[in-house]
Amino acid sequence: MATGFRILLRAACALTFLVLPAPAGAQDAIARYDELLARWDDGGLARLAAEPGPAGMKELAAAAAAFLRFDPTAPALAAVAVEAASEETRSRAEWLRDTVASWHALLGGFFPQPVSSRVRLLLPASHREWGKLAAPFCAEIVDPVLELFQVAADGPVVEAVFLENLDQLAVVSRVPVARLERSGTVGMTLFGRVFLLSPASFPEGYAWHVVLGHEAVHHALRRRVPGRLPHFYEEGIASLLEEWGRTGKLKELLPLEKALLQLADDKGLLLDRAVLDAPYWQIEGGLQARLAFVQARLAAALLLQKAQVESLRQLLDGLADGTPFDELQRTLTGVSPDAFFARVKARWRSAASRENLLTLQYDSGPDYLPEKARKAADEAASLVTLGDLLWGRGRIAAALAVYMRLPPELQVTPDVSWRICRLLVDLGRTAEARTRIRGPLELFPSDSRVLYAAALVARAAGDAELAGRLARDAWLVNPFSKETADAIMTPRPWQGDETWVK
């Protein structure tokens, strides 16, 4: 997701362009302030506050340093900075005052939850108990990323803040709610803090642990090489390594992501470099935002294709030493930036696959469905309703027969597959359920409904270890669901799912 420099600081700089040019000495001090704030360099800002500069710079730099240090005195210092501001520093001082005030007002009632010596969570009151359970998982996700990127162990603590809704994310990011919603944005890294939506924000939860891994990479990059990596490649590296903490591996293309590339190629949806180099919250449509991350990940994988971890360290070391990115790109790939990007575009198309394309279209809504499939989707909604009515009346065999009349590509979507597999288990057709659940698990590995249904199937098949692992994964994605919480927390023998709510 977009970093703080590209969202909040850009807004501040835009305000600055509206005022008269500052004298040369003031310009130098302001440029240094901008750079230090963009780099989250609280120490540099503290030193700037002790040096001569334009009126108000001392107070502004001191307030910004306190802001970056999570210091509770930041709001008062920011207010003082506005009072002391000169014409040259006023727009920045007012922006900082408003930002600090809104952050502190929102987060003032949140509770800290230690995770490790390098990570802590900040949680709303309703999430305190969940935070205690989630903390070990968060440590496993973030700490290995910091180690991989060789972020100094004595550096600032990574604070991961879980927000209750999009309105709160809009407050901290200054991005309109409608923009966040249209792009499907659920996390951002802003001035040393990682912000994520709570999994309670969505009825079925979401893969927040993957997003936390993604944002941890952004955080590490901002600590190691602030502002030196083009946005497109930063997003690609974050996407490539977002599961590193949990798996120790780079993320490969998922089957539905290959289908997404095919859809994009068919419909002319592949995003150009200008769009990919801008913050992804600006993208219109969640499907296109998903596509942006896939395109960026493939580019990063090509950039680092030779001994990827070593190539990553070579890239980071070079950027940290001041070597321009284009020069490092040529060293890593052996070709010019333009020639390399031509390879990237070819890779986007060669990775595309028509397999699972119709399932992707069914799951993504009607916008990109062929006409025939659109009619089938309309009929499917009626069939699902009929099946649910039969199920509710205890006629489970008849309900299953109705669900099985749906198109095969629709039967493997999360909304349908859990119904089919659950009823197969209830009817004692466990072997068939095991076969049926494999497709949905491969296509939707982070959907809580699929994971929970798979846990039911594994338990019915007598595989308690697999059932426990799947139930844990379902709980991770959707921890505030009674069903997933019961599955992981209740030690009693499995007795079916009498509490499942359709």
Side-chain angles (χ1 to χ4, degrees):
M1 299 293 172
T3 63
F5 174 67
R6 293 184 179 85
I7 297 176
L8 298 180
L9 195 59
R10 180 175 292 170
C13 291
L15 291 173
T16 309
F17 297 150
L18 300 178
V19 302
L20 295 174
Q27 286 180 334
D28 292 342
I30 289 172
R32 187 175 169 202
Y33 168 84
D34 287 345
E35 181 183 3
L36 292 169
L37 182 58
R39 294 175 59 183
W40 310 343
D41 189 346
D42 58 292
L45 285 164
R47 289 189 292 274
L48 180 62
E51 298 174 5
M57 178 54 71
K58 175 180 180 179
E59 292 82 1
L60 177 60
F67 172 53
L68 293 176
R69 290 172 176 164
F70 316 153
D71 194 317
T73 64
L77 290 173
V80 170
V82 172
E83 294 176 2
S86 64
E87 185 178 14
E88 295 84 11
T89 61
R90 180 163 301 278
S91 63
R92 285 168 172 78
E94 290 176 344
W95 174 87
L96 183 64
R97 176 200 60 194
D98 294 345
T99 299
V100 171
S102 63
W103 282 34
H104 279 248
L106 173 62
L107 305 178
F110 282 39
F111 294 88
Q113 170 62 54
V115 170
S116 69
S117 62
R118 307 181 69 177
V119 185
R120 68 168 167 256
L121 307 182
L122 201 61
L123 303 155
S126 59
H127 287 44
R128 293 186 74 174
E129 293 305 313
W130 171 72
K132 295 174 185 177
L133 297 172
F137 295 100
C138 294
E140 293 172 2
I141 292 165
V142 179
D143 282 339
V145 170
L146 300 178
E147 293 169 7
L148 174 66
F149 282 82
Q150 299 176 320
V151 176
D154 59 351
V157 170
V158 181
E159 189 169 70
V161 185
F162 283 88
L163 303 172
E164 295 177 282
N165 50 55
L166 273 178
D167 289 336
Q168 293 183 351
L169 186 57
V171 167
V172 298
S173 68
R174 299 288 186 89
V175 177
V177 170
R179 279 280 189 184
L180 297 173
E181 191 170 22
R182 284 198 297 268
S183 63
T185 300
V186 293
M188 291 185 181
T189 297
L190 305 167
F191 296 113
R193 299 157 177 88
V194 170
F195 292 95
L196 302 94
L197 288 182
S198 161
S201 304
F202 303 94
E204 308 300 339
Y206 79 103
W208 64 268
H209 51 305
V210 177
V211 177
L212 176 59
H214 182 101
E215 297 303 327
V217 175
H218 278 305
H219 188 282
L221 284 169
R222 300 298 299 170
R223 290 294 181 199
R224 276 294 310 275
V225 289
R228 298 175 191 174
L229 191 64
H231 176 259
F232 171 51
Y233 288 103
E234 180 172 331
E235 288 295 357
I237 290 173
S239 297
L240 191 64
L241 290 162
E242 63 189 16
E243 296 184 353
W244 177 267
R246 296 184 303 121
T247 68
K249 299 178 181 178
L250 280 68
K251 187 171 183 177
E252 297 182 354
L253 274 182
L254 299 172
L256 281 192
E257 291 175 335
K258 296 178 182 179
L260 178 58
L261 288 168
Q262 186 65 60
L263 178 66
D265 198 21
D266 291 347
K267 303 290 186 181
L269 300 175
L270 285 170
L271 302 167
D272 62 29
R273 182 64 185 271
V275 174
L276 294 168
D277 262 331
Y280 288 177
W281 54 260
Q282 295 182 1
I283 296 174
E284 294 288 334
L287 193 72
Q288 285 86 346
R290 287 167 56 191
L291 178 63
F293 288 112
V294 173
Q295 289 184 238
R297 191 195 317 156
L298 284 173
L302 278 178
L303 179 68
L304 306 176
Q305 63 180 330
K306 299 175 182 177
Q308 290 171 315
V309 172
E310 290 305 314
S311 294
L312 174 65
R313 288 180 174 154
Q314 182 181 349
L315 174 65
L316 295 176
D317 290 344
L319 291 171
D321 290 340
T323 306
F325 173 78
D326 284 354
E327 183 178 329
L328 291 166
Q329 183 186 61
R330 187 185 291 270
T331 299
L332 290 171
T333 64
V335 297
S336 69
D338 288 343
F340 176 71
F341 200 71
R343 289 184 183 176
V344 169
K345 290 192 286 187
R347 177 64 177 139
W348 290 338
R349 289 182 166 86
S350 67
S353 172
R354 293 195 178 279
E355 188 177 2
N356 305 305
L357 179 56
L358 197 52
T359 295
L360 170 72
Q361 292 169 306
Y362 275 127
D363 187 61
S364 301
D367 291 348
Y368 300 106
L369 275 172
E371 186 61 30
K372 182 179 179 181
R374 191 171 300 184
K375 292 179 180 178
D378 291 339
E379 295 172 359
S382 298
L383 286 174
V384 170
T385 300
L386 175 59
D388 288 352
L389 287 171
L390 291 168
W391 189 356
R393 294 175 181 176
R395 300 177 59 188
I396 59 176
L400 178 61
V402 170
Y403 298 144
M404 299 287 271
R405 288 163 54 188
L406 297 168
E409 296 85 2
L410 193 51
Q411 291 181 26
V412 294
T413 60
D415 197 44
V416 177
S417 62
W418 78 260
R419 287 172 159 88
I420 291 176
C421 291
R422 167 61 204 272
L423 291 183
L424 286 171
V425 168
D426 284 356
L427 291 168
R429 295 159 62 176
T430 305
E432 187 177 349
R434 292 183 71 181
T435 300
R436 282 265 178 184
I437 199 61
R438 289 172 188 157
L441 265 180
E442 182 181 17
L443 296 176
F444 303 96
S446 295
D447 188 280
S448 63
R449 294 162 295 179
V450 171
L451 288 165
Y452 187 67
L456 291 174
V457 173
R459 184 72 63 168
D463 192 338
E465 181 179 352
L466 176 60
R469 187 164 67 247
L470 290 166
R472 180 206 61 189
D473 290 347
W475 175 83
L476 268 177
V477 175
N478 197 12
F480 295 95
S481 159
K482 183 180 185 304
E483 290 73 30
T484 57
D486 285 350
I488 191 171
M489 299 301 295
T490 305
R492 62 178 172 78
W494 194 269
Q495 297 176 359
D497 180 35
E498 65 278 4
T499 60
W500 182 274
V501 178
K502 296 189 287 297

